[in-house]
């Protein structure tokens, strides 16, 4: 996790000065590990959003990547190794044993966030600018590959015009040539090259075409001396004049480099958009699709999740127990660590895999098809009311199924501040794991009104999202500038299987790497606390929960919950378990009372004990205490997997902030519910 | 006669007028092809009160708020 984060800039910001001269580096042997090494040249991918940077990045690097946030920021930057072979020699060393026409060069490739220009409007654009221009000479990438969408060339060239005003090595890679061709726009690469004054290569990152010529262009660019900056004929202190000059330059380049005006009749995309963006039908289509996403991530994933869960708690646990008793270690602490720590932790992690896979596949399809941009338009008005862009709707909806993939889904938000804000709000959405606890508590306390009580929890959940979003916008993100909706809509297209698969795999493996450690470590940590005897002289690993370090901690924090009406040791203890996973709350309850778990939807003996307990701790007001408990369960940390997911997306600092914010919100609300409730009930 | 973009007719040729948006935003619009002096068309109304514009080859969705701020000249 953290070391992956800090590992990012090592290659991007290099220290050694002489490494820029390529002649000194021999790469013929090829590099076997996943890093291109400290002295490999660094090439940055830049370009406007949706020009195909990430697709190209994935195509060039394969699995050799580190994804993560730039240190100190929440801006996502991916770094990977691009292995190139070339017919031209890159080194002249004697011990070189490269085959003829196969000189290898490993390049560190950096995928920077999308930027239309070098004038920073967001932290993402600011990072791009700083890396390309502000960082002193050696730290900069050795070459920029600017991606330009040839179906709307002029949009992509503003960045080129600005970059050309600096002495930087640039290669322009034209993407979306298939779309341009469909619109009868012809791009004359040679003429465009002459007009822009930089090498231009036409590629198709989706079909992985043109990557060889791109490698050639990049390698000759790296070997060539720094080009001169483009002389600007306008006063640099006059931004309007400067812009005017740039747009003239762009217009000339587009004029020289493209042929044909394209079809003017309504395209296929226009015809779909007539429905998909329409005032009434647009939201209906959108909601139907969201319902589908929600259904797939909950109902389709559920049986697979249950299967994995049963596999781990059943056969695998039983088998391991049998193994331990066979070697005479039955009941030992080693068995406890393996079964209740490692197996339980890994099992929990793996139950998320079907869910996350489905989520990532759906995200990739929605993005690749071009619908995601439309979704952002359709719900923009509504989401803006709570200070979030339209795209934030999807993570929040998914959150009602499970918070873990929902937080990963914040990745679709282009602006890192919006990503942080959304990732902080997602845990307030009542996931299905919390639903099972709500139902049990609801049935126990409210009998036939259980449904109403659960429904109220959903209302509270929505209000928490809106309210906290509003408060955060008014406090921490007060300076987040007004960001009106203007997006260029990409044409619709059929999602490609290969792209969907590779994006899904990349995201899934990233999730497993980060979340795996956190989840397994936490589950083992809880086991450890439950195994350390404190108030009894039982042996390590053989102690009752009440007498363990865990029990002592739960007892110590119990008085804090006095004003909430549910301050009993048994209840606070389940809440500590609930921190790990909400599904575990009921079984933990049953465990502390040494009772069987009730069947789903029933209160059973456990219900009677819980009721008695609440009655006592609340001084005769069990109903408001139960409501307060439900509200607390709703608002505080959903589970460690959510934290792990947050950690991965927005970093440790914001994750911690989120934990504190949620605990505070949960506590304040619970106290308010109980104190007001007991006046009437 | 200048009108707010949200009041401009669909499918007529429109020309953006100077001002209306902050400098920062102007640049974003300009990069997307919405520069003062360039002609474009509104293709349809979008849900939420926004508009979709056709500028050359591209389609740009403009939110309701922004559509209220931008001023255009209608060329018949
Ligand atoms: N038709 C077509 N689609 C492409 C091409 N390159 C990328 N795409 C698609 O364009 C979308 C945006 O690509 P992405 O790599 O996410 O862009 P980024 O925002 O620059 O990182 C994805 O759905 C890609 O599949 C191309 O050459 N042709
Ligand atoms: Mg990208």
């Amino acid at each position: 996790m953290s070391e992956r984060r800090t590992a990012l800039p090592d290659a991007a910001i290099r220290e050694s000065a002489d490494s820029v001269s390529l002649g000194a580096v021999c790469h013929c042997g090829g590099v076997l590990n996943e890093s291109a090494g400290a002295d490999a040249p660094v090439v940055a991918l830049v370009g406007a959003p949706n020009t195909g940077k990430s697709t190209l990045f994935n195509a060039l690097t394969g699995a050799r990547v580190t994804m993560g946030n730039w240190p100190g920021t929440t801006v996502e930057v991916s770094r990977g190794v691009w292995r190139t072979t070339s017919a031209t020699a890159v080194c002249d060393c004697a011990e070189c044993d490269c085959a003829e026409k196969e000189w290898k060069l490993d390049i560190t490739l950096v995928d920077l966030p999308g930027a239309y220009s070098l004038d920073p409007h967001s932290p993402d654009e600011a990072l791009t600018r700083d890396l390309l221009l502000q960082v002193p000479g050696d730290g900069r990438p050795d070459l920029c590959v600017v991606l330009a969408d040839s179906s709307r060339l002029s949009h992509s060239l503003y960045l080129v015009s600005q970059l050309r005003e600096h002495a930087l090595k640039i290669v322009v890679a034209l993407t979306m040539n298939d779309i341009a061709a469909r619109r009868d726009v012809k791009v004359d690469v040679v003429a465009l090259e002459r007009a822009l004054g930089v090498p231009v290569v036409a590629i198709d990152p989706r079909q992985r075409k043109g990557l060889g010529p791109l490698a050639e262009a990049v390698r000759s660019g790296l070997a060539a001396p720094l080009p001169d900056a483009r002389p600007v004929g306008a006063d640099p202190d006059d931004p309007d004049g400067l812009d005017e000059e740039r747009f003239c330059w762009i217009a000339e380049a587009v004029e020289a480099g493209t042929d044909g005006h394209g079809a003017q009749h309504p395209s296929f995309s226009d015809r779909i958009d007539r429905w998909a963006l329409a005032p009434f039908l647009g939201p209906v289509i959108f909601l139907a699709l969201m319902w589908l996403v929600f259904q797939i991530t909950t109902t389709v994933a559920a049986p697979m999740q249950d299967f994995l869960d049963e596999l781990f708690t059943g056969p695998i646990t039983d088998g391991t127990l049998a193994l331990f008793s066979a070697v005479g270690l039955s009941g030992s602490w080693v068995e406890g660590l393996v079964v209740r720590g490692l197996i339980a932790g890994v099992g929990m992690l793996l139950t998320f895999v079907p869910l996350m896979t489905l989520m990532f596949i759906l995200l990739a399809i929605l993005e690749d098809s071009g619908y995601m941009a439309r979704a952002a338009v359709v719900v923009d008005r509504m989401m803006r009311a709570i200070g979030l862009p339209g795209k934030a709707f999807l993570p929040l909806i998914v959150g009602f199924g499970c918070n873990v993939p929902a937080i990963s889904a914040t990745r679709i938000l282009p602006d890192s501040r919006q990503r942080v804000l959304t990732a902080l709000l997602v845990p307030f959405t009542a996931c299905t794991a919390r639903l099972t606890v709500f139902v049990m508590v609801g049935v126990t306390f409210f009998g036939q009104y259980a449904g109403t009580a659960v429904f109220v929890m959903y209302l509270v959940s929505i209000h928490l999202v809106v309210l906290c979003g509003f408060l955060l916008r008014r406090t921490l993100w007060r300076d987040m500038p007004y960001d009106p909706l203007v997006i260029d809509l990409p044409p619709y297209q059929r999602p490609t299987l290969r792209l969907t698969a590779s994006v899904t795999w990349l995201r899934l493996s990233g999730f497993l790497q980060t979340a795996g450690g956190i989840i397994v470590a936490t589950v083992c940590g809880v086991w450890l606390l439950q195994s350390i005897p404190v108030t009894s002289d039982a042996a390590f690993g053989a102690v009752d929960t009440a007498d363990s370090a865990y029990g002592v901690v739960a007892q110590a924090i119990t008085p804090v919950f006095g004003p909430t009406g549910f301050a009993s040791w048994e209840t606070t203890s389940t809440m500590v378990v609930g921190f790990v996973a909400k599904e575990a709350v009921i079984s933990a309850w049953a465990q502390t009372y040494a009772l069987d778990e009730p069947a789903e939807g029933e209160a059973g003996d456990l219900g009677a004990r819980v009721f008695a307990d609440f009655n006592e701790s609340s001084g005769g007001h069990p109903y408001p205490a139960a409501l307060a408990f439900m509200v607390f369960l709703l608002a505080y940390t959903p589970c460690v997997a959510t934290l792990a997911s947050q950690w991965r997306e927005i970093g440790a600092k914001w994750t911690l902030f989120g934990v504190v914010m949620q605990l505070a919100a949960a506590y304040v609300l619970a106290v308010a519910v109980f104190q007001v409730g007991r006046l009437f009930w | 006669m200048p009108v707010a973009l949200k009041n401009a007719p669909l499918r007529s040729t429109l020309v953006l007028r100077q001002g209306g948006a902050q400098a920062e935003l102007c640049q974003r619009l300009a990069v997307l092809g919405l520069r003062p002096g360039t002609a474009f068309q509104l293709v349809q109304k979008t849900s939420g009160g926004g508009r979709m514009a056709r500028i050359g080859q591209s389609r740009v969705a403009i939110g309701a708020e922004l559509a209220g701020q931008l001023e255009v000249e209608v060329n018949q």
Side-chain angles (χ1 to χ4, degrees), chain A residues 116-117 119-121 151-152 154-155 158 162 183 185 243-244 246-247 261-267 270 273-274 277-279 283 377-378 380-381 384 482-489, chain B residues 11 18 22-36 41 43-52 54-67 69-70:
Chain A
Y116 283 108
S117 72
D119 306 87
H121 299 312
S151 70
R152 37 191 174 191
S154 57
H155 297 191
Y158 190 79
Q162 285 186 315
R183 294 188 181 162
V185 177
D243 258 359
E244 197 56 45
R246 285 174 189 149
F247 282 115
H261 300 286
Q264 272 302 317
H265 55 85
S267 65
D270 287 336
D273 279 338
R274 219 173 286 155
L277 292 178
V377 175
V378 170
D380 183 70
R381 191 75 174 269
R384 211 161 273 268
Y482 164 65
D483 182 30
L485 176 81
V486 248
I487 36 176
D488 48 353
L489 299 169
Chain B
R11 276 175 282 279
Q18 200 83 46
Q22 305 115 295
E24 242 189 34
L25 186 54
C26 282
Q27 193 200 33
R28 255 240 332 268
L29 292 172
V31 172
L32 295 177
L34 269 174
R35 304 182 58 217
Q41 279 195 347
V43 187
Q44 70 174 97
K45 294 186 179 176
T46 58
S47 127
R51 295 289 184 275
M52 175 147 93
R54 167 161 55 206
I55 307 154
Q57 272 301 301
S58 55
R59 308 287 180 273
V60 178
I62 299 169
E65 260 173 292
L66 187 60
Q69 285 170 14
L70 297 177

Side-chain angles (χ1 to χ4, degrees), chain A residues 49-50 52-55 76 111-114:
Chain A
N50 292 317
K53 287 181 304 300
S54 304
T55 315
E76 191 190 49
D111 181 19
L112 293 179

Side-chain angles (χ1 to χ4, degrees), chain A residues 300-554:
Chain A
V300 178
M304 291 188 259
Q305 237 169 324
D306 291 345
F307 169 77
L308 282 169
D309 190 39
E310 273 156 28
L311 183 70
F312 272 82
T313 53
I316 293 187
T317 300
D318 294 346
T320 317
L321 287 176
L323 213 67
F324 272 104
S325 64
V327 294
L329 282 171
S330 182
S332 68
W333 69 267
V334 191
E335 183 193 81
L337 173 66
V338 172
V339 174
R340 288 171 59 201
L342 291 177
I343 293 182
V346 172
M348 178 171 167
L349 176 70
L350 288 186
T351 55
F352 282 105
V353 168
L355 189 65
M356 299 300 277
T357 310
L358 283 170
M359 180 70 224
F360 288 139
I361 289 176
L362 292 172
L363 276 186
I365 291 175
L366 284 174
E367 283 187 290
D368 196 22
S369 65
Y371 185 74
M372 198 70 94
R374 274 72 183 187
V377 175
V378 170
V379 279
D380 183 70
R381 191 75 174 269
M382 191 190 93
M383 292 300 287
R384 211 161 273 268
I386 66 169
L388 282 171
K391 275 188 176 181
F393 196 81
L394 186 125
L396 292 175
I397 278 284
V398 171
F400 282 98
C402 177
N403 289 182
V404 182
I407 283 170
S408 296
T410 58
R411 195 161 282 218
I412 56 174
L413 292 167
D415 184 294
S416 60
R417 284 164 303 185
Q418 293 166 349
R419 206 151 55 218
V420 174
L421 184 54
T422 313
L424 288 176
L425 295 179
V426 164
F428 287 125
T429 56
C431 63
T432 46
R434 273 172 275 189
L435 179 64
T436 53
V437 190
F438 290 158
V439 170
M440 185 260 167
V441 178
V443 170
T444 303
F445 287 87
F446 305 106
Q448 56 172 315
Y449 300 111
T452 314
V454 173
F455 180 71
V456 167
M457 285 307 121
Y458 277 90
L459 287 186
V460 173
S461 168
I462 293 168
H463 282 88
L464 269 174
V465 171
V466 173
L467 207 75
C468 287
F470 183 79
L471 287 177
L472 287 174
R473 276 298 300 250
R474 281 300 136 92
T475 49
L476 287 173
W477 279 275
R478 218 175 6 202
D479 59 342
M480 193 143 102
Y482 164 65
D483 182 30
L485 176 81
V486 248
I487 36 176
D488 48 353
L489 299 169
Y492 287 104
Q493 57 188 5
R494 187 176 323 145
T496 51
L497 185 65
R498 182 197 221 164
L499 191 70
T500 305
S502 76
V503 168
T504 302
W505 168 243
L506 209 67
R507 289 177 170 174
L508 185 68
S509 59
F511 169 78
L512 289 178
Q513 278 166 12
T514 317
I518 297 177
I519 293 174
V520 175
T522 313
V523 173
C524 289
V526 169
W527 167 81
L528 185 69
L529 286 177
Q530 288 178 340
S531 303
I532 300 174
V534 176
T535 50
S536 84
D537 41 18
F540 177 78
V543 65
D544 279 344
T545 306
D547 296 320
S548 66
Y550 179 86
V552 170
V553 171

